[in-house]
Amino acid sequence: MPAPKDPEPRWLTDDQLAAWRGFVRLLQRLPAALETQLQQDSKLSLLEYHVLAHLSDQPGRRLRMSELASLATTELSRLSHLIGRLENRGFVRREPDPENGRYTLAVLTEAGHAHLVSAAPAHVAQVLTLFVDVLTPHELRTLHRISAKVLDRVESGPAAERLSS
């Protein structure tokens, strides 16, 4: 009995390939442009800005490091190094979690909050200029729906299982 034949691999159509390549280029170029603006104007990386922003949104401006890593979509070890740099600048401090001493909290300091408040207007202006202003309200709603669908697949599909193992 002959061995079952492997199914033919799926390939992208020309339109799919063009959309994919455009999206990948956007994924590379937009964060780089936002990073450049943040570095020039506030000496923050894009990830540092997002970490400070996530902390500013939390009650007491504090969050467990593991939860912050998840929100910032980074590994805990990378976040720990980043928090160390932000601590050296006086923007964040670490303290034990009073609810469970096995965890460490990252706490946004007043200096860190002030720096974030100072950095935010130029960053938001850049997001508006490069992203929001070039899309219609309908396109923004569509992009939001598309992003949610793709993220749901990424976070619940086989790729998520490989990422978490």
Side-chain angles (χ1 to χ4, degrees), residues 10 146-161:
R10 292 177 57 199
I146 291 167
S147 298
K149 286 175 75 170
V150 173
L151 282 171
D152 183 57
R153 175 66 61 94
V154 168
E155 293 171 354
S156 65
E161 294 169 14

Side-chain angles (χ1 to χ4, degrees), residues 13-158:
T13 66
D14 289 344
D15 286 345
Q16 291 168 336
L17 183 59
W20 175 245
R21 285 183 174 164
F23 180 70
V24 168
R25 188 163 182 199
L26 172 65
L27 286 176
Q28 295 167 337
R29 300 292 302 269
L30 182 60
L34 295 172
E35 176 101 18
T36 297
Q37 175 275 314
L38 281 166
Q39 284 287 344
Q40 289 174 349
D41 294 348
S42 60
K43 307 296 184 251
L44 290 172
S45 71
L46 186 57
L47 183 56
E48 289 169 337
Y49 179 89
H50 282 288
V51 164
L52 295 177
H54 284 304
L55 285 173
S56 75
D57 291 340
Q58 301 303 313
R61 297 182 186 150
R62 61 189 64 232
L63 191 61
R64 284 183 177 171
M65 292 279 289
S66 55
E67 293 175 42
L68 184 57
S70 179
L71 278 176
T73 320
T74 191
E75 302 83 25
L76 187 56
S77 61
R78 182 173 183 205
L79 178 69
S80 184
H81 291 291
L82 182 144
I83 292 294
R85 290 191 304 274
L86 292 173
E87 279 181 308
N88 289 339
R89 295 174 70 181
F91 295 164
V92 175
R93 71 174 183 277
R94 290 182 237 210
E95 57 187 46
D97 185 340
E99 295 177 16
N100 186 335
R102 294 179 297 170
Y103 293 99
T104 300
L105 298 175
V107 181
L108 183 64
T109 64
E110 287 302 319
H113 186 256
H115 194 74
L116 177 65
V117 167
S118 170
H123 175 65
V124 170
Q126 187 77 330
V127 169
L128 288 166
T129 298
L130 296 178
F131 186 79
V132 175
D133 292 347
V134 299
L135 301 172
T136 67
H138 175 74
E139 289 170 330
L140 282 170
R141 286 189 301 274
T142 301
L143 181 58
H144 183 223
R145 285 192 303 272
I146 291 167
S147 298
K149 286 175 75 170
V150 173
L151 282 171
D152 183 57
R153 175 66 61 94
V154 168
E155 293 171 354
S156 65

